[in-house]
Amino acid sequence: MFGAGCFWGVEAMYREIDGVLDVRVGYAGGHVEDPTYKEVCTDTTGHAEVVEVTFDPAVVSYADLVHTFWEIHDPTTLNRQGPDYGSQYRSVIFFYNQAQADAATASRTHAQAYFDRPIVTSIEPAPQFFDGEEYHQNYFAKTGQPSCHRRMWSIPR
C-alpha cells in the first residue's frame, strides 16, 4: 500500500505496470472508522490517501513497485505533493510482511543517494485499508483527464 500524494495519479501510474492486477484507491493510517473523502480532506482523520496494489510476483517484484514509488513523487516534502498539502498527502509505504518492510527500507536507503534533501517517507505496518468512493476508482480513465503524476526522477536500480 503506497501513499504518494493525490491517489488518482498514483493509481494511474501503478496501473501502467505489467504484472499489476488491480489498484484500489482509498484511505489508511487514521483513527476514524470507514472515513469518507470529504472527512479525509479535512486533515483531521489521520488517514493518508493511498493505493492498494495487487500484483503478480511472477511478473513484477515488490522491489519494482517500491522503486516506482520513489520515481513518481517527491519523498522529501512533508505532508505535501505539488499543490496538495496536509497529512492526507503524506509519503508513506504500508507493508504487509517483514520481507516488504526490509525491501522498502533498503530501497529508501538506495533512493536517498539521488535526492538533495532527506527523504521523509515513513515505512509502517499496514493498517486497515478503507476503499475510496467508487467515483474515485480509476478516476482518469472515467473522466478522460490526463494524470497529474508522472515519473519525476530517474533512479538507477
Side-chain angles (χ1 to χ4, degrees):
M1 192 180 337
F2 302 99
C6 172
F7 53 23
W8 295 337
V10 178
E11 175 195 34
M13 295 301 296
Y14 278 105
R15 284 190 180 281
E16 294 177 2
I17 298 173
D18 287 338
V20 168
L21 305 174
D22 191 30
V23 184
R24 298 289 298 171
V25 303
Y27 319 106
H31 54 82
V32 172
E33 186 73 21
D34 201 19
T36 65
Y37 180 71
K38 186 175 180 178
E39 290 171 329
V40 171
C41 285
T42 67
D43 195 18
T44 60
T45 69
H47 291 86
E49 288 192 12
V50 296
V51 296
E52 184 179 58
V53 179
T54 305
F55 64 101
D56 180 349
V59 179
V60 62
S61 70
Y62 180 74
D64 288 336
L65 299 177
V66 174
H67 187 86
T68 295
F69 172 81
W70 303 120
E71 291 188 332
I72 64 171
H73 80 297
D74 184 350
T76 69
T77 56
L78 185 62
N79 298 333
R80 179 179 204 104
Q81 287 300 311
D84 298 325
Y85 60 91
S87 65
Q88 69 269 34
Y89 299 112
R90 67 187 176 271
S91 178
V92 61
I93 298 173
F94 290 119
F95 61 85
Y96 291 94
N97 56 49
Q98 192 59 50
Q100 287 183 355
D102 294 345
T105 300
S107 183
R108 179 177 59 190
T109 299
H110 172 76
Q112 182 60 72
Y114 299 95
F115 291 95
D116 293 334
R117 297 179 304 182
I119 288 176
V120 298
T121 303
S122 62
I123 299 173
E124 307 171 21
Q128 184 173 356
F129 172 81
F130 297 99
D131 247 340
E133 294 80 356
E134 190 54 39
Y135 70 93
H136 289 298
Q137 308 299 331
N138 213 2
Y139 182 80
F140 289 121
K142 287 177 180 173
T143 64
Q145 295 179 30
S147 177
C148 54
H149 274 66
R150 60 181 168 67
R151 289 198 186 271
M152 299 173 62
W153 323 102
S154 179
I155 300 172
R157 294 189 189 267

